[in-house]
């Protein structure tokens, strides 16, 4: 928008008419004071400013607005009787652009100048926009790079821990073999196996992440008994964690369509987290039930819980609750993979949690998905 500032109404009227006829939006002010008030409120692309006005003259207006942030990009065309004064103009004003036209105004020249300023304005706006986008992109990449570095360091640490244990157990094993102590050999072999299983799970998770990224996470769907896999998982996990009571309620009692191994992976992840993030509790409640055409599955723990602001983000890749990340080992990818698996079963995943009270992780998936493409 253009602001015309002139104390002579007839000048304003004729300038306004010509500019509006040429498609420009125009605002007017009949004194320096009025102009300042308007410039404070609105941003103008260009101000056409009469130099000779009673009270505050054009130069004073220009000087006054040079400090306004709203007028930073604004250009000024002075209408002056004498071109000699123009040297003074630049004194206080060094922003958008400056020009002058001698009176009486040649409308063709004025229009040419106005159009030029508008073009420059559009170009600089486009440049600013581009610069802003580039800066955002740079920030985004820096952040991604930082997250990647952090992830590599956590992942290396996570992989190193079981490897160090394996190395230690193997040394101990050698000694037990030398002593012909078969019982101890068996115990140590079992420990090595456990650590290898841990490594295996970590590597499998890392591979899943890269498969999700490249869209290559494959599903092998068929009908299976949800109750059977849940029974089996609880049995195995109960044996591995005798100090925790895994309390189960509800049954599905029907076969559901999905990738059995992947659904198993989600259930195991929920229960493993429920045990891991509740070190002072000895109960985990597991619920499964049919709700209409959906199955509902949840794992409730009585552990550390988490604040609202983390509840949406914990399903993001690499997200870990910072306050507790030192205390508990992890990579922050399990729930991200779970979310992907449930999404690919046309389901929903979520959490209800209170800090210090515990968490309830749940998912819903349709028993018979409406339209399903196998292996997708
Ligand atoms: P990891 O446990 O390896 O860090 P996950 O993706 O399984 O990765 O979990 C992401 C984050 O969510 C965890 O780091 C933890 O901060 C939080 N979280 C997950 N499960 C629970 C839970 N049952 N109770 C409290 N916090 C949890």
């Amino acid at each position: 928008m253009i602001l015309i500032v002139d104390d002579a109404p007839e000048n304003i009227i004729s300038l306004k008419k010509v500019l509006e006829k040429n498609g420009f939006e125009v605002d007017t002010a009949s004194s320096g004071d009025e102009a300042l008030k308007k410039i404070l409120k609105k941003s103008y692309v260009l101000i056409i400013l009469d130099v000779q006005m009673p009270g505050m003259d054009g130069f004073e207006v220009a000087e006054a607005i040079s400090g306004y942030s709203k007028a930073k990009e604004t250009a000024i065309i002075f209408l002056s009787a004498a071109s000699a004064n123009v040297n003074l103009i630049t004194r206080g004003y060094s922003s958008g652009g400056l020009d002058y036209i001698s009176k009486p105004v040649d409308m063709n020249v004025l229009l040419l100048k106005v159009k030029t300023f508008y073009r420059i304005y559009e170009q600089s706006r486009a440049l600013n926009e581009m610069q802003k986008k580039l800066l955002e992109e740079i920030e985004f990449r820096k952040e991604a790079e930082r997250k990647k570095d952090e992830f590599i360091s956590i992942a290396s640490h996570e992989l190193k821990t079981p490897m160090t244990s394996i190395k230690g157990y193997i040394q101990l094993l050698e000694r037990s073999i030398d002593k012909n102590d078969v019982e101890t050999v068996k115990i140590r072999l079992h420990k090595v196996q456990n650590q290898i299983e841990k490594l295996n799970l970590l590597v499998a998770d890392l591979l899943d992440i890269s498969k999700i990224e490249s869209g290559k996470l494959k599903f092998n769907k068929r009908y299976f008994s949800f109750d059977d896999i849940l029974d089996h998982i609880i049995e195995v996990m109960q044996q591995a964690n005798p100090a925790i009571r895994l309390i189960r309620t509800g049954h599905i009692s029907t076969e559901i369509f999905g990738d059995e191994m992947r659904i198993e992976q989600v259930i195991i992840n929920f229960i493993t987290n429920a045990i891991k993030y509740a070190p002072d509790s000895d109960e985990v409640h597991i619920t499964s039930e049919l709700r209409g055409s959906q199955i509902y599955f949840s794992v409730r723990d009585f552990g550390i819980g988490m604040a609202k602001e983390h509840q949406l983000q914990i399903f993001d890749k690499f997200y870990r609750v910072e306050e507790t990340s030192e205390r508990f080992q992890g990579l922050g990818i399990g729930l991200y993979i779970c979310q992907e698996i449930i999404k690919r079963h046309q389901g929903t995943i979520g959490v209800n949690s209170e800090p210090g009270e515990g968490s309830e992780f749940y998912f819903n998936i349709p028993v018979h998905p409406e339209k399903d493409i196998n292996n997708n």
Side-chain angles (χ1 to χ4, degrees):
M1 186 181 263
I2 301 174
L3 177 66
I4 304 172
V5 189
D6 201 318
D7 59 312
E10 63 278 12
N11 288 350
I12 289 191
I13 290 167
S14 63
L15 280 174
K16 188 170 189 269
K17 218 166 126 190
V18 173
L19 290 171
E20 283 182 342
K21 230 175 101 189
N22 280 274
F24 294 104
E25 259 190 291
V26 177
D27 199 358
T28 61
S30 55
S31 70
D33 279 339
E34 193 188 348
L36 287 185
K37 277 185 202 141
K38 291 205 165 181
I39 296 161
L40 259 183
K41 283 196 202 126
K42 252 194 223 169
S43 290
Y44 296 95
V45 174
L46 175 69
I47 303 170
I48 299 176
L49 192 53
D50 186 20
V51 170
Q52 276 165 332
M53 288 186 293
M56 200 177 217
D57 73 17
F59 296 151
E60 287 167 331
V61 173
E63 228 173 308
I65 66 170
S66 66
Y68 288 12
S69 62
K70 269 205 159 47
K72 231 169 59 198
E73 308 287 318
T74 311
I76 296 181
I77 298 178
F78 289 99
L79 304 180
S80 76
S83 61
N85 287 338
V86 166
N87 288 340
L88 292 172
I89 294 166
T90 43
R91 204 178 47 199
Y93 194 81
S94 59
S95 36
L98 287 176
D99 207 341
Y100 75 94
I101 290 186
S102 319
K103 278 184 172 178
V105 174
D106 178 336
M107 285 300 181
N108 286 328
V109 175
L110 179 76
L111 264 178
L112 207 70
K113 290 189 188 245
V114 167
K115 282 181 185 163
T116 307
F117 273 127
Y118 254 86
R119 209 175 47 238
I120 293 171
Y121 169 78
E122 291 299 342
Q123 283 167 351
S124 83
R125 208 171 57 169
L127 267 176
N128 282 344
E129 199 59 31
M130 211 186 285
Q131 193 187 29
K132 211 174 116 202
K133 279 203 185 120
L134 274 173
L135 286 175
E136 277 169 11
E137 178 70 21
I138 290 171
E139 272 315 303
F140 177 76
R141 279 172 195 243
K142 270 195 198 157
E143 180 59 17
E145 191 70 15
R146 194 190 63 73
K147 277 195 180 157
K148 201 177 82 186
D149 287 348
E150 189 182 286
F151 173 71
I152 289 173
S153 109
I154 298 175
S156 322
H157 178 76
E158 290 287 302
L159 291 170
K160 216 174 155 216
T161 313
M163 296 238 261
T164 315
S165 306
I166 291 171
K167 228 170 114 185
Y169 285 131
I170 287 181
Q171 278 168 358
L172 292 173
L173 249 178
E174 270 182 334
R175 280 189 221 161
S176 312
I177 290 170
D178 288 345
K179 285 188 205 156
N180 249 335
D181 181 354
V182 180
E183 271 322 297
T184 318
V185 167
K186 275 188 191 163
I187 293 169
R188 287 180 177 157
L189 264 179
H190 189 69
K191 291 204 164 145
V192 170
Q193 259 169 355
N194 278 345
Q195 295 301 320
I196 288 179
E197 185 52 26
K198 259 194 184 171
L199 265 182
N200 212 359
L201 287 175
L202 271 172
V203 174
D205 272 1
L206 290 172
L207 283 175
D208 279 351
I209 285 274
S210 78
K211 280 185 202 153
I212 292 174
E213 298 295 285
S214 57
K216 285 184 188 147
L217 191 66
K218 294 270 180 270
F219 287 84
N220 190 5
K221 293 181 182 169
R222 59 185 185 83
Y223 279 95
F224 67 93
S225 162
F226 189 86
D227 290 337
D228 285 355
I229 63 159
L230 189 55
D231 282 341
H232 178 69
I233 294 169
I234 292 178
E235 194 188 324
V236 173
M237 293 194 79
Q238 186 64 81
Q239 262 177 30
N241 301 278
I244 313 280
R245 283 201 306 145
L246 300 179
I247 301 167
R248 176 178 178 183
T249 30
H251 284 274
I252 303 293
S253 310
T254 179
E255 293 215 315
I256 70 157
F257 189 73
D259 185 320
E260 188 175 339
M261 301 262 282
R262 292 292 181 187
I263 294 295
E264 210 176 273
Q265 188 178 349
V266 178
I267 298 172
I268 292 173
N269 212 312
F270 279 11
I271 301 176
T272 310
N273 279 353
I275 297 170
K276 174 160 98 175
Y277 294 102
D280 302 326
S281 133
D282 57 4
E283 263 184 28
V284 170
H285 294 187
I286 299 160
T287 308
S288 60
E289 58 196 33
L290 205 54
R291 291 186 177 175
S293 58
Q294 303 258 327
I295 69 157
Y296 169 82
F297 173 78
S298 79
V299 175
R300 166 95 171 92
D301 65 59
F302 302 88
I304 60 169
M306 74 190 81
K308 269 267 165 313
E309 76 253 29
H310 301 301
Q311 293 178 20
L312 280 177
Q313 299 192 76
I314 47 162
F315 297 99
D316 290 350
K317 198 172 40 177
F318 308 144
Y319 189 86
R320 309 199 68 220
V321 175
E322 184 134 14
E323 300 92 275
T324 50
S325 61
E326 296 263 307
R327 220 173 122 203
F328 301 95
Q329 285 187 341
L331 284 176
I333 53 180
L335 289 176
Y336 171 72
I337 299 170
C338 290
Q339 173 173 256
E340 181 70 17
I341 293 171
I342 296 302
K343 256 201 316 212
R344 299 277 293 272
H345 281 79
Q346 301 170 21
T348 51
I349 191 167
V351 62
N352 299 309
S353 186
E354 282 291 333
E357 305 268 305
S359 312
E360 181 183 35
F361 281 85
Y362 63 86
F363 67 74
N364 292 286
I365 50 173
V367 177
H368 312 286
E370 271 168 24
K371 188 179 77 167
D372 204 277
I373 308 145
N374 216 1
N375 286 332
N376 61 354

